[in-house]
Protein backbone atom coordinates (compact mmCIF):
# COMPACT_ATOMS: atom_id res chain seq x y z
CA UNK A 1 0.00 0.00 0.00
CA UNK A 2 1.90 3.02 -1.28
CA UNK A 3 -0.12 5.34 0.99
CA UNK A 4 1.55 4.09 4.17
CA UNK A 5 5.24 4.46 3.27
CA UNK A 6 7.32 6.52 5.71
CA UNK A 7 11.08 6.67 6.06
CA UNK A 8 14.27 6.93 4.06
CA UNK A 9 15.22 4.47 1.31
CA UNK A 10 18.96 4.39 0.63
CA UNK A 11 20.11 2.93 -2.67
CA UNK A 12 22.78 0.23 -2.55
CA UNK A 13 23.58 0.42 -6.30
CA UNK A 14 23.93 3.43 -8.60
CA UNK A 15 21.06 3.95 -11.05
CA UNK A 16 21.36 4.76 -14.75
CA UNK A 17 18.81 7.43 -15.65
CA UNK A 18 18.62 9.33 -18.94
CA UNK A 19 22.13 8.19 -19.81
CA UNK A 20 23.59 9.51 -16.55
CA UNK A 21 24.63 7.61 -13.45
CA UNK A 22 22.86 8.67 -10.24
CA UNK A 23 25.14 7.72 -7.36
CA UNK A 24 24.81 7.42 -3.58
CA UNK A 25 21.18 8.45 -3.49
CA UNK A 26 18.34 8.33 -1.02
CA UNK A 27 14.65 9.14 -1.13
CA UNK A 28 12.61 10.31 1.86
CA UNK A 29 8.94 9.26 2.00
CA UNK A 30 6.19 10.72 4.18
CA UNK A 31 2.62 9.46 4.16
CA UNK A 32 3.19 7.56 0.93
CA UNK A 33 4.89 10.32 -1.07
CA UNK A 34 8.51 11.11 -1.78
CA UNK A 35 9.15 14.52 -0.26
CA UNK A 36 12.87 14.84 -0.99
CA UNK A 37 15.86 13.07 -2.47
CA UNK A 38 19.61 13.46 -2.51
CA UNK A 39 22.50 12.05 -4.54
CA UNK A 40 26.24 12.58 -4.80
CA UNK A 41 25.95 12.82 -8.61
CA UNK A 42 23.16 13.69 -11.07
CA UNK A 43 20.42 14.31 -8.52
CA UNK A 44 18.53 16.31 -11.17
CA UNK A 45 17.89 13.08 -13.15
CA UNK A 46 16.35 11.49 -10.07
CA UNK A 47 14.29 14.59 -9.30
CA UNK A 48 13.00 14.85 -12.89
CA UNK A 49 11.68 11.28 -12.81
CA UNK A 50 10.60 11.09 -9.19
CA UNK A 51 8.72 14.39 -9.04
CA UNK A 52 7.18 14.25 -12.52
CA UNK A 53 3.67 13.98 -11.03
CA UNK A 54 1.76 12.85 -7.95
CA UNK A 55 1.98 9.14 -8.78
CA UNK A 56 5.63 8.87 -9.82
CA UNK A 57 6.63 10.02 -6.34
CA UNK A 58 4.91 7.05 -4.68
CA UNK A 59 6.16 3.49 -4.31
CA UNK A 60 4.90 0.81 -6.64
CA UNK A 61 6.96 -2.23 -5.70
CA UNK A 62 8.83 -3.85 -2.83
CA UNK A 63 10.83 -6.94 -3.83
CA UNK A 64 12.95 -9.11 -1.57
CA UNK A 65 15.88 -10.77 -3.32
CA UNK A 66 18.44 -13.03 -1.63
CA UNK A 67 22.14 -12.27 -1.82
CA UNK A 68 22.36 -15.84 -3.15
CA UNK A 69 20.60 -14.90 -6.42
CA UNK A 70 22.43 -15.97 -9.61
CA UNK A 71 22.75 -12.36 -10.81
CA UNK A 72 24.24 -11.26 -7.46
CA UNK A 73 26.72 -14.14 -7.66
CA UNK A 74 28.15 -12.61 -10.87
CA UNK A 75 29.41 -9.79 -8.61
CA UNK A 76 28.91 -6.97 -11.09
CA UNK A 77 26.54 -4.13 -11.79
CA UNK A 78 24.95 -4.13 -15.25
CA UNK A 79 23.54 -0.58 -15.04
CA UNK A 80 20.30 -2.01 -16.40
CA UNK A 81 17.38 -2.06 -13.98
CA UNK A 82 15.81 -5.16 -15.51
CA UNK A 83 18.96 -7.15 -14.77
CA UNK A 84 20.21 -5.43 -11.62
CA UNK A 85 16.82 -5.83 -9.90
CA UNK A 86 17.61 -9.55 -9.73
CA UNK A 87 20.81 -8.91 -7.78
CA UNK A 88 19.37 -7.22 -4.70
CA UNK A 89 16.22 -6.42 -2.81
CA UNK A 90 14.70 -3.37 -4.39
CA UNK A 91 11.96 -0.79 -4.40
CA UNK A 92 10.34 0.93 -7.34
CA UNK A 93 8.70 4.29 -7.48
CA UNK A 94 5.85 4.58 -9.94
CA UNK A 95 3.32 2.03 -11.10
CA UNK A 96 2.36 -1.09 -9.18
CA UNK A 97 1.32 -4.41 -10.66
CA UNK A 98 -2.49 -4.69 -10.35
CA UNK A 99 -2.29 -8.47 -10.64
CA UNK A 100 -0.66 -8.58 -7.19
CA UNK A 101 -3.99 -8.01 -5.45
CA UNK A 102 -7.10 -10.14 -5.75
CA UNK A 103 -9.18 -8.88 -8.66
CA UNK A 104 -6.73 -6.07 -9.41
CA UNK A 105 -6.49 -6.82 -13.12
CA UNK A 106 -10.23 -6.09 -13.44
CA UNK A 107 -10.25 -2.89 -11.35
CA UNK A 108 -10.60 0.67 -12.63
CA UNK A 109 -7.91 3.27 -11.92
CA UNK A 110 -10.05 4.63 -9.08
CA UNK A 111 -10.56 1.18 -7.56
CA UNK A 112 -6.81 0.45 -7.74
CA UNK A 113 -5.99 3.71 -5.98
CA UNK A 114 -8.59 2.98 -3.30
CA UNK A 115 -6.79 -0.33 -2.68
CA UNK A 116 -3.33 1.27 -2.40
CA UNK A 117 -2.16 0.28 -5.91
CA UNK A 118 -0.12 2.99 -7.65
CA UNK A 119 -1.30 3.79 -11.19
CA UNK A 120 1.63 5.88 -12.45
CA UNK A 121 2.65 5.47 -16.09
CA UNK A 122 6.31 4.85 -15.22
CA UNK A 123 8.10 2.34 -13.00
CA UNK A 124 11.70 2.83 -11.83
CA UNK A 125 13.48 0.13 -9.80
CA UNK A 126 16.32 0.95 -7.43
CA UNK A 127 18.29 -1.48 -5.33
CA UNK A 128 18.38 -1.35 -1.52
CA UNK A 129 19.74 -4.81 -0.63
CA UNK A 130 23.16 -5.13 1.01
CA UNK A 131 25.07 -7.94 2.77
CA UNK A 132 23.79 -6.48 6.07
CA UNK A 133 20.17 -6.15 4.89
CA UNK A 134 17.52 -7.16 7.44
CA UNK A 135 13.74 -7.30 6.98
CA UNK A 136 11.33 -7.68 9.88
CA UNK A 137 7.64 -8.26 9.24
CA UNK A 138 4.83 -7.54 11.67
CA UNK A 139 1.94 -9.98 12.02
CA UNK A 140 -1.64 -8.83 12.68
CA UNK A 141 -1.04 -9.75 16.31
CA UNK A 142 1.84 -7.27 16.48
CA UNK A 143 4.45 -10.02 16.73
CA UNK A 144 7.64 -9.31 14.78
CA UNK A 145 9.01 -11.97 12.43
CA UNK A 146 12.49 -11.84 10.87
CA UNK A 147 12.14 -12.53 7.13
CA UNK A 148 15.65 -11.66 5.95
CA UNK A 149 18.91 -11.22 7.81
CA UNK A 150 22.38 -10.54 6.45
CA UNK A 151 20.87 -10.30 2.96
CA UNK A 152 19.34 -13.77 2.98
CA UNK A 153 15.94 -15.28 3.79
CA UNK A 154 15.51 -16.82 7.24
CA UNK A 155 11.70 -16.92 7.60
CA UNK A 156 11.65 -17.55 11.33
CA UNK A 157 8.31 -18.14 13.02
CA UNK A 158 6.21 -18.77 9.92
Amino acid sequence: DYRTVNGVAVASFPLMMSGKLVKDFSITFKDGKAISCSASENVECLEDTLFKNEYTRQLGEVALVSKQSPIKQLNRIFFNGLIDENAASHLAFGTSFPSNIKGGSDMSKEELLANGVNVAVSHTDFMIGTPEFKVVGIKESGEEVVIMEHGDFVLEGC
Side-chain angles (χ1 to χ4, degrees):
D1 186 340
Y2 71 87
R3 301 167 295 185
T4 62
V5 177
N6 288 292
V8 179
V10 178
S12 57
F13 287 35
L15 180 62
M16 186 65 75
M17 302 185 84
S18 303
K20 295 182 180 177
L21 203 56
V22 180
K23 292 184 176 179
D24 308 314
F25 69 93
S26 65
I27 302 171
T28 301
F29 293 91
K30 180 167 178 30
D31 300 326
K33 294 185 181 186
I35 58 169
S36 65
C37 63
S38 65
S40 66
E41 292 182 33
N42 299 311
V43 71
E44 68 282 353
C45 294
L46 181 60
E47 291 169 337
D48 288 348
T49 302
L50 185 61
F51 298 114
K52 188 175 293 183
N53 63 49
E54 178 183 355
Y55 300 119
T56 58
R57 58 192 285 205
Q58 300 166 341
L59 281 189
E61 178 182 11
V62 175
L64 302 179
V65 178
S66 167
K67 68 181 181 184
Q68 304 299 324
S69 78
I71 298 295
K72 177 63 177 169
Q73 296 306 304
L74 294 174
N75 201 30
R76 68 178 291 214
I77 300 173
F78 290 88
F79 303 105
N80 178 315
L82 293 175
I83 298 173
D84 289 336
E85 74 174 355
N86 295 294
S89 292
H90 58 278
L91 302 175
F93 52 89
T95 195
S96 298
F97 299 103
S99 59
N100 286 335
I101 66 166
K102 186 175 183 175
S105 296
D106 298 320
M107 290 182 183
S108 68
K109 177 180 174 179
E110 293 75 22
E111 290 171 316
L112 289 168
L113 289 169
N115 282 281
V117 178
N118 190 338
V119 297
V121 295
S122 63
H123 178 97
T124 304
D125 292 302
F126 65 99
M127 290 8 99
I128 59 170
T130 66
E132 301 82 27
F133 194 64
K134 182 175 182 175
V135 177
V136 178
I138 302 172
K139 293 182 177 184
E140 279 189 70
S141 67
E143 178 188 355
E144 293 187 351
V145 179
V146 177
I147 298 169
M148 293 184 86
E149 194 158 25
H150 306 294
D152 216 351
F153 288 101
V154 292
L155 299 173
E156 293 176 2
C158 291

